[in-house]
């Protein structure tokens, strides 16, 4: 009976299912041996496995973000879809891409040769003061928050949100800022190439 109990407890201890486990003698001849506690380190939170589930709002691919059910600004009504940017689902005007941020802050999207980096790539001219919000799908004033911009990217310094700034290609300086589930049309700003 003691051997059977040890065989059950040992695998549980190895999997981290308990904070501490009691060692039981496996040999029946030492059944009266004193019980000795053995510390098992607590389980450490690990990032999700590559093939495991992602938490809501997070992604590895645009398809992780779900069906296209978000509202869009007028200029993007027929062209918006989910992108996966810095592991966050972002409702972009011309979405469907995956963009990753490296530890040094540089951003590169799948299928694009160029990466954009803070401190190296120029900020969008006029950001944020020249931008006049004309249409938005949310109430958060993204253009008035402290931010760091580089190329077509804006990172909100308050919470680290990485937003894309895409040209609307209207012949006038008009862009759309996409931050997670929010789109904002900005007149007076054209993203840096």
């Amino acid at each position: 009976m003691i051997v059977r109990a040890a065989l059950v407890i040992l695998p549980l201890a190895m999997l981290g299912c308990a904070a501490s486990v009691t060692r039981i003698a496996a040999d029946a001849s030492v059944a009266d041996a004193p019980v000795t506690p053995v510390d098992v380190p607590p389980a450490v939170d690990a990032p999700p496995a590559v093939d495991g589930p992602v938490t809501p709002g997070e992604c590895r691919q645009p398809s992780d973000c779900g069906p296209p059910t978000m509202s869009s600004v007028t200029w993007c009504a027929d062209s918006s879809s989910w992108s996966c940017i810095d592991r966050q689902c972002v409702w972009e005007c011309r979405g469907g891409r995956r963009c990753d941020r490296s530890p040094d802050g540089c951003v590169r999207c799948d299928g694009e040769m160029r990466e954009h980096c803070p401190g190296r790539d120029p900020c969008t001219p006029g950001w944020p003061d020249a931008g006049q919000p004309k249409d938005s799908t949310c109430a958060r004033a993204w253009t008035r928050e402290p931010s760091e911009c580089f190329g077509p990217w804006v990172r909100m310094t308050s919470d680290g949100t990485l937003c894309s700034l895409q040209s609307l290609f209207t012949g006038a300086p008009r862009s759309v800022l996409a931050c997670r589930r929010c789109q904002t049309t900005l007149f007076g700003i054209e993203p840096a190439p």
Side-chain angles (χ1 to χ4, degrees), residues 24-48:
I24 299 176
D27 186 346
S29 64
V30 289
D32 295 329
V35 176
T36 308
V38 176
D39 290 333
V40 176
V44 177
D45 290 337

Side-chain angles (χ1 to χ4, degrees), residues 14-105:
M14 293 173 62
L15 293 174
C17 293
S20 66
V21 177
T22 302
R23 180 180 294 144
I24 299 176
D27 186 346
S29 64
V30 289
D32 295 329
V35 176
T36 308
V38 176
D39 290 333
V40 176
V44 177
D45 290 337
V50 174
D51 59 350
V54 292
T55 59
E58 289 191 355
C59 55
R60 284 183 294 278
Q61 297 295 333
S63 59
D64 293 335
C65 297
T69 57
M70 300 301 298
S71 60
S72 301
V73 293
T74 305
W75 292 88
C76 303
D78 297 325
S79 61
S80 294
S81 62
W82 288 113
S83 287
C84 184
I85 297 175
D86 193 28
R87 292 188 56 93
Q88 293 294 314
C89 294
V90 177
W91 188 244
E92 276 196 304
C93 189
R94 293 176 303 281
R97 62 185 180 158
R98 174 186 165 173
C99 304
D100 294 310
R101 183 168 48 162
S102 61
D104 62 359

